[in-house]
Amino acid sequence: MKSLFLTNQEMSAVYEQREHDGLSNELYTLNLNSASSRFIFCGSRHTNIPEDKQFGEIEALWAEFTSLPGNKVAFCEGRVRPIDGKSREQAIITGGDPGLICYLAKRDGIELISPEPDMNLEVRKLVAAFGPEKTALYYFDRQMYQWARADFRHRGNVQEYILGFIKQFPTAELQGLKLTPNVLYNIFQKETGKAFSFIEIQTIHNLLAPNSNEVASMSSLHRNESIFDTVKSYKGNGYNIFIVYGSGHAIVLEPALRELYAK
């Protein structure tokens, strides 16, 4: 059924059609049923603004989900975030839509997992395909886009933020490439022809687009495969499933998920 995943070009066409139809700011939802379980996928726009209407929409679907009988599990994008002591608003400000689902699952005692692939294995595969520099740049840009979009509000020291990224990154998979901020800046300039700067936010964003960056494309495929395999496993065990992930993942996975739940 993974052959049913949409291509990056097909995903882009869906986004273009939604923009044409005035739906680009709407939550992308899948609400599916099988004989034994319910499946709700909230395809979000990544934002850290608690007043954004999508959070209320997610919470309405969550209330529907938690009222279901039987076993339940929620999936969050990235890592499961610590939210002890945080209010709903603080969870969103610091964690966006993943922060909200972590907050809701904790509040309501629902099992919560991240279906992301093993980071070491993913990096190893990307390095084998594209080399250590392009691989490191992709993850660096992904983290820096997150900083520029939201994390600067609560983690304002960008140098400490970058050093934290390097510390957590599986550098042993980089075939001897030693990461420092200057090394990452130099790779950025080599690949883009531009000096690294947050003024270049569109350049950073373009490096993360699966339809134009082959590293991003392979990473997205690995992530979507991992999401699908995890859904299939929990569905097979009769779980009701609630997912909050970026809308691109929902769009790419929709045909395969509909086929899975049609059985």
Side-chain angles (χ1 to χ4, degrees), residues 155-168:
R155 297 177 65 183
N157 188 318
V158 68
Q159 189 73 6
E160 288 184 2
Y161 190 84
I162 292 170
L163 291 173
F165 158 76
I166 292 171
K167 183 177 180 181
Q168 294 177 18

Side-chain angles (χ1 to χ4, degrees), residues 48 61 82 96 98 121 131 136 151 227 233 245 255 257:
N48 296 64
L61 289 168
L121 178 60
D151 282 357
I227 294 167
S233 175
Y245 251 76
L257 290 168

Side-chain angles (χ1 to χ4, degrees), residues 4 12-13 27-28 32 35 38 43 51 60 64 73 82 103 108 147 183 185 199 202 217 232-233 244 248 259:
L4 295 175
S12 294
L27 191 70
Y28 193 97
L32 308 175
R38 180 82 169 274
E51 296 77 23
E64 183 180 335
V73 64
Y103 171 83
D108 296 336
W147 186 87
V183 165
Y185 300 156
I199 295 174
Q202 189 58 50
S217 179
K232 186 176 180 180
S233 175
V244 178
E259 178 71 14

Side-chain angles (χ1 to χ4, degrees), residues 17-72:
Q17 186 62 51
R18 283 174 64 78
E19 184 170 0
H20 178 269
D21 295 340
L23 300 174
S24 56
N25 288 325
E26 300 299 318
L27 191 70
Y28 193 97
T29 57
L30 299 177
N31 207 325
L32 308 175
N33 288 284
S34 71
S36 60
S37 63
R38 180 82 169 274
F39 176 84
I40 299 174
F41 197 135
C42 298
S44 63
R45 292 171 288 103
H46 292 314
T47 175
N48 296 64
I49 301 172
E51 296 77 23
D52 191 289
K53 67 176 184 177
Q54 77 168 355
F55 294 119
E57 294 166 350
I58 291 170
E59 287 169 309
L61 289 168
W62 177 260
E64 183 180 335
F65 171 75
T66 55
S67 69
L68 297 170
N71 293 327
K72 305 176 189 69

Side-chain angles (χ1 to χ4, degrees), residues 61-197:
L61 289 168
W62 177 260
E64 183 180 335
F65 171 75
T66 55
S67 69
L68 297 170
N71 293 327
K72 305 176 189 69
V73 64
F75 295 0
C76 77
E77 186 166 0
R79 60 188 174 84
V80 174
R81 290 151 173 80
I83 52 88
D84 288 342
K86 290 181 180 176
S87 66
R88 170 191 180 275
E89 289 71 23
Q90 290 168 331
I92 293 172
I93 290 168
T94 59
D97 34 298
L100 175 64
I101 192 60
C102 290
Y103 171 83
L104 294 174
K106 175 81 172 179
R107 183 194 68 187
D108 296 336
I110 302 296
E111 180 183 355
L112 177 68
I113 66 165
S114 171
E116 298 282 346
D118 178 82
M119 181 73 161
N120 292 68
L121 178 60
E122 182 182 339
V123 171
R124 194 179 311 144
K125 288 181 177 180
L126 293 175
V127 168
F130 306 111
E133 290 193 354
K134 286 187 176 182
T135 300
L137 177 62
Y138 165 68
Y139 286 101
F140 174 63
D141 282 331
R142 199 162 88 180
Q143 197 67 47
M144 291 305 98
Y145 189 71
Q146 169 67 20
W147 186 87
R149 185 175 60 81
D151 282 357
F152 73 90
R153 294 187 180 93
H154 55 94
R155 297 177 65 183
N157 188 318
V158 68
Q159 189 73 6
E160 288 184 2
Y161 190 84
I162 292 170
L163 291 173
F165 158 76
I166 292 171
K167 183 177 180 181
Q168 294 177 18
F169 193 81
T171 53
E173 305 296 343
L174 292 179
Q175 299 178 348
L177 177 66
K178 303 297 184 185
L179 292 187
T180 67
N182 284 336
V183 165
L184 290 164
Y185 300 156
N186 289 339
I187 296 172
F188 182 92
Q189 185 162 24
K190 182 170 133 181
E191 291 295 325
T192 67
K194 299 177 180 180
F196 179 80
S197 168

Side-chain angles (χ1 to χ4, degrees), residues 173-230:
E173 305 296 343
L174 292 179
Q175 299 178 348
L177 177 66
K178 303 297 184 185
L179 292 187
T180 67
N182 284 336
V183 165
L184 290 164
Y185 300 156
N186 289 339
I187 296 172
F188 182 92
Q189 185 162 24
K190 182 170 133 181
E191 291 295 325
T192 67
K194 299 177 180 180
F196 179 80
S197 168
F198 292 110
I199 295 174
E200 297 292 347
I201 190 66
Q202 189 58 50
T203 301
I204 296 172
H205 182 267
N206 291 344
L207 286 167
L208 301 176
N211 62 344
S212 61
N213 184 315
E214 57 187 0
V215 185
S217 179
M218 182 178 281
S219 173
S220 292
L221 176 60
H222 288 160
R223 296 178 72 203
N224 284 325
E225 287 176 338
S226 186
I227 294 167
F228 181 81
D229 288 343
T230 310

